Amino acid sequence: MNHESFQSFVDRHGTDESLWPDTTEGKEARQLLEQSDLAQKILGENKRLFQLLEFAMSVPHPVGLEQRILRRVTTPPERNWTHFLASWILKPALVALPLVLGFVLGLTSTDSSVFVENEITATQFDDHSDLLAISDE
Amino acid sequence: MKQNDSDAALMLKVQEGNAEAFEELMHRHVRQLHAYVFRLCQNTSESEEIVQEAFMRVWSRAKTWVPRRVKFTTWLFQIARNLCIDRFRKQTAKLDSSIDLDLIPDASTNRDKELVLALHQVVQELPERQRTALVLSQIEGWTQSEVAEVMKSTVEAVESLIARARRTLRTKLQVSPTKN
């Protein structure tokens, strides 16, 4: 193992030697660490970097977060007028809409058929009067 | 009594609508979950909202948790991670965190303080999967198989993600004695 592959090994397995695998590669890494100053320097620099990473990723204390979560869980969701409108008026209205439309369309079509029927009767009457006029002549 | 119960035992009670069991579960895990979420999104208000939403889902979707299929903490962190990813997709999360340099030990050099600031920046530039793997393994101390479960991935893939993240940090911060 050379120093480049030692660095690559540390990237994969971390800086805690106790967690390094007991594979051939792990044994070679431990051996190099014992014999080489540069390997020790590499590991030391990596350890320092990742210690600083913990500071770089420090977390602020979340004040009152637990209480806020509990309040949200135990309090039923607020129902304002839009909820009321949606659940009691809008949804039934949407369900009834096709029915109402069908009813209106039905009414409209009945009216037009009556109108057409009247028109036919009127035409028939005109035909009859024409025939009467011809027979009079 | 509830303090001695396992997470799984408490979850079974939560599934029956037991609010006390939920409170105990939340008390156990809220800090670690908040730390994880904050480290991913680096935004105070967003991270608190995500944690609240994650626990709300634990409560409202408790019955979807199957004890033998997945550990409670794995499930909880999966929920939080998915919420974080949703926020990243919508790009609503804005970085607003700052580092408290006073937290660094007095013995630290100015070089260390510069490194901390630079690290903070470089971690935010990592792809989401690398950042998640790095945070869970390097900071939270999870094993690679635990990280793989949360990320729904393999141990080999997680090992590779962590290695790439560490390499990126080293190269961007020029910590590489092999080049000296």
Side-chain angles (χ1 to χ4, degrees), chain A residues 62-75, chain B residues 22 26 29-31 33-35 37-38 41 43-61 76 79-80 83-84 87:
Chain A
V63 183
L65 182 59
E66 277 189 51
Q67 284 72 27
R68 270 176 281 149
I69 295 168
L70 276 180
R71 215 176 301 132
R72 274 185 72 180
V73 166
T74 51
T75 314
Chain B
F22 174 81
M26 185 194 55
H29 300 290
V30 70
R31 276 187 169 236
L33 187 72
H34 173 261
V37 170
F38 182 82
C41 73
N43 180 295
T44 311
S45 60
E46 289 266 0
S47 57
E48 291 191 8
E49 270 177 43
I50 289 170
V51 173
Q52 282 191 50
E53 185 57 36
F55 277 107
M56 285 299 291
R57 287 193 185 186
V58 168
W59 177 250
S60 62
R61 299 179 190 179
L76 175 65
I79 293 172
L83 289 167
C84 287
R87 303 269 172 142

Side-chain angles (χ1 to χ4, degrees), chain B residues 138-157:
Chain B
Q138 187 76 47
I139 312 279
E140 305 292 340
W142 289 32
T143 64
Q144 290 184 348
S145 62
E146 287 171 330
V147 178
E149 255 194 290
V150 167
M151 298 183 74
K152 294 181 180 170
S153 187
T154 61
V155 173
E156 292 76 21

Side-chain angles (χ1 to χ4, degrees), chain A residues 7 11-12 14 41-42 45-46 48 50 53 55-57 59-62 66 68-70 72-73, chain B residues 23 26-27 31 34 38-39 48 52-53 59 103 105 112 115-116 120 123 138 144 163 166 170 178:
Chain A
Q7 176 62 77
D11 284 340
R12 279 180 286 121
K41 194 178 173 193
I42 290 169
E45 283 284 293
N46 276 265
R48 186 170 140 265
F50 293 114
L53 180 66
F55 296 118
M57 305 204 78
V59 176
H61 177 64
E66 277 189 51
R68 270 176 281 149
I69 295 168
L70 276 180
R72 274 185 72 180
V73 166
Chain B
E23 188 176 350
M26 185 194 55
H27 182 70
R31 276 187 169 236
H34 173 261
F38 182 82
R39 283 168 177 145
E48 291 191 8
Q52 282 191 50
E53 185 57 36
W59 177 250
L103 288 172
D112 282 349
L115 268 177
V116 168
H120 183 75
V123 168
Q138 187 76 47
Q144 290 184 348
R166 284 183 179 139
R170 269 194 309 103
T178 52

Side-chain angles (χ1 to χ4, degrees), chain A residues 19-33:
Chain A
L19 298 176
W20 288 358
D22 270 336
T23 55
T24 313
E25 197 187 20
K27 283 171 191 160
E28 283 177 2
R30 285 193 180 90
Q31 207 176 353
L32 187 69
L33 190 64

Side-chain angles (χ1 to χ4, degrees), chain B residues 99-145:
Chain B
I99 308 163
D100 187 358
L101 286 173
D102 294 337
L103 288 172
I104 305 172
D106 291 340
S108 300
T109 60
N110 283 338
R111 164 80 179 136
D112 282 349
K113 290 185 178 176
E114 281 171 21
L115 268 177
V116 168
L117 290 170
L119 268 169
H120 183 75
Q121 181 61 37
V122 174
V123 168
Q124 295 319 310
E125 290 166 9
L126 289 174
E128 183 274 326
R129 286 175 65 75
Q130 286 185 32
R131 193 160 69 233
T132 298
L134 185 76
V135 166
L136 286 176
S137 73
Q138 187 76 47
I139 312 279
E140 305 292 340
W142 289 32
T143 64
Q144 290 184 348
S145 62

Side-chain angles (χ1 to χ4, degrees), chain A:
Chain A
M1 179 178 272
N2 61 23
H3 292 107
E4 292 277 343
S5 51
F6 178 77
Q7 176 62 77
S8 162
F9 176 85
V10 173
D11 284 340
R12 279 180 286 121
H13 299 286
T15 53
D16 186 349
E17 298 137 75
S18 67
L19 298 176
W20 288 358
D22 270 336
T23 55
T24 313
E25 197 187 20
K27 283 171 191 160
E28 283 177 2
R30 285 193 180 90
Q31 207 176 353
L32 187 69
L33 190 64
E34 276 179 16
Q35 296 164 354
S36 162
D37 289 345
L38 184 54
Q40 285 169 20
K41 194 178 173 193
I42 290 169
L43 188 65
E45 283 284 293
N46 276 265
K47 277 185 178 171
R48 186 170 140 265
L49 179 70
F50 293 114
Q51 270 174 354
L52 293 178
L53 180 66
E54 290 188 25
F55 296 118
M57 305 204 78
S58 57
V59 176
H61 177 64
V63 183
L65 182 59
E66 277 189 51
Q67 284 72 27
R68 270 176 281 149
I69 295 168
L70 276 180
R71 215 176 301 132
R72 274 185 72 180
V73 166
T74 51
T75 314
E78 261 184 48
R79 297 201 174 274
N80 54 22
W81 66 271
T82 51
H83 274 97
F84 175 78
L85 192 72
S87 58
W88 290 98
I89 299 174
L90 210 58
K91 282 179 192 167
L94 281 173
V95 172
L97 189 66
L99 287 173
V100 173
L101 271 176
F103 185 70
V104 170
L105 278 174
L107 270 181
T108 318
S109 63
T110 310
D111 285 351
S112 62
S113 65
V114 168
F115 177 72
V116 171
E117 211 169 76
N118 290 342
E119 213 171 43
I120 292 166
T121 316
T123 316
Q124 282 171 341
F125 180 75
D126 286 347
D127 290 346
H128 282 294
S129 48
D130 285 349
L131 284 172
L132 284 170
I134 294 164
S135 61
D136 286 345
E137 279 172 15

